[in-house]
Amino acid sequence: MARRENSQSRREGRDQKIRPGHVLIVCGAEATEIDYLSGFKEKHRARIKLKGKVDSPENLVMYAKRIFSPDEFDAVWCVVDVDHFDIGAAERAAQRAGVELAVSNPCFEVWLLLHFTEHRAYVTDGKAACALVARHVPGYDKTKLDYAQFHAGVEKAVQRAKALEPGNPSTGVWRLVEAVLRR
C-alpha cells in the first residue's frame, strides 16, 4: 500500500511544476491551434505547455515574455496568424523578447491544409482556408479540431511548408514542430 501512495505523490509532484526541457507555446486563438497542439503533444509525448489568448501577435509576444520562466521552460513560442495584423511589429517584439514566432499567412489552416496537399495559390482569408481544409476533412470545424485527422500528414506538412516562399500562403509552424520533436 505504501508503494501506491508514493507513486501517487510522485505523479502529483510532477504535474505541479514543469521541469526544464519543456516548451511554452502561446497561441493567438483558443480553439484550433490549441486543439491541434494538444493532440500533437499527446501523440508525440511532447513536453509542451499550451496557453491560448485572443489578441494581436505583438501583444501575444509581450504576454509570452511575461509568463515565460527559464526555470520552468527551455523555450517560448507564439503561434500567430497574419490575418490583418502588423506582423513586422510582432517580429521585432519577439526578437527583443527572445520569443520564437510561428507565423501562418493568412491563418493556421494553411498549416493544416499542407498535411494533405501541396498548396501554393493565394488564400484570400480564414474562411477560404477553412473551405480548402474541408475538401480533405469533410465537416471540418475549426472549433472542434481532431488531431488524429492530421497526424499521418505531419512529416509531409513540414516538407511542404519548408518549400513555400514567404508571403501568402506560408506557415512557420514547421519550425515549432521540428523544435519540439528534437527535445
Side-chain angles (χ1 to χ4, degrees), residues 36-37 40 77-79 101-104 108 110-112 114-115 153-166 169-182:
Y36 178 92
L37 291 167
F40 179 85
W77 285 75
C78 284
V79 177
L101 279 181
V103 179
S104 295
F108 188 76
V110 168
W111 169 248
L112 299 178
L114 295 175
H115 287 65
V154 172
E155 288 182 31
K156 283 290 190 187
V158 168
Q159 293 169 1
R160 291 171 178 144
K162 285 180 175 181
L164 290 174
E165 297 292 325
S170 65
T171 180
V173 176
W174 68 268
R175 294 177 46 246
L176 170 60
V177 166
E178 283 192 342
V180 168
L181 291 177
R182 278 194 306 262

Side-chain angles (χ1 to χ4, degrees), residues 2-86:
R3 186 177 195 175
R4 181 175 286 162
E5 291 171 2
N6 288 339
S7 296
Q8 180 67 25
S9 65
R10 278 195 303 267
R11 273 195 305 274
E12 288 171 1
R14 242 184 293 160
D15 293 340
Q16 290 173 0
K17 181 163 168 65
I18 304 292
R19 293 177 314 280
H22 282 71
V23 176
L24 173 63
I25 303 172
V26 177
C27 300
E30 293 180 334
T32 312
E33 292 90 332
I34 295 289
D35 289 345
Y36 178 92
L37 291 167
S38 292
F40 179 85
K41 173 184 178 177
E42 183 177 316
K43 192 72 171 177
H44 294 278
R45 297 183 182 163
R47 299 182 326 168
I48 60 179
K49 181 174 183 182
L50 299 166
K51 293 279 188 182
K53 183 173 174 60
V54 178
D55 210 334
S56 72
E58 187 175 8
N59 287 344
L60 283 175
V61 168
M62 306 302 5
Y63 173 71
K65 182 182 184 331
R66 234 180 6 260
I67 66 172
F68 172 73
S69 166
D71 294 335
E72 293 183 76
F73 304 103
D74 284 346
V76 58
W77 285 75
C78 284
V79 177
V80 299
D81 295 346
V82 168
D83 288 328
H84 56 277
F85 295 110
D86 179 3

